[in-house]
Amino acid sequence: MRRLIQLGINRNWAKCTAYSRKGYARLCSGGAVAVAINNKRLTQYGLVSMLDYYSKQPC
């Protein structure tokens, strides 16, 4: 919950997500986690998007 709040998620939304009984895959596919950890943030961390990687590869 604390990390979601640090990433800019509303406290109530972070609390609902943190204490949810849904599985990891379900939580990450939509909602607070998807908003907090988006492609822009992953690029800032130095990770390369798979779509960008494969679109730059020669055929």
Side-chain angles (χ1 to χ4, degrees):
M1 184 171 101
R2 183 177 27 165
R3 186 69 175 143
L4 286 172
I5 293 170
Q6 288 175 352
L7 291 172
I9 300 300
N10 182 344
R11 183 176 174 82
N12 290 331
W13 197 15
K15 185 177 180 180
C16 289
T17 302
Y19 296 117
S20 175
R21 297 186 310 172
K22 296 179 183 175
Y24 296 118
R26 179 76 181 240
L27 287 174
C28 293
S29 66
V33 177
V35 171
I37 306 173
N38 54 19
N39 285 336
K40 183 179 176 183
R41 191 173 306 268
L42 292 174
T43 304
Q44 290 174 349
Y45 291 150
L47 299 172
V48 179
S49 168
M50 295 303 290
L51 179 63
D52 293 340
Y53 178 78
Y54 281 110
S55 64
K56 292 179 183 177
Q57 295 293 325
C59 294

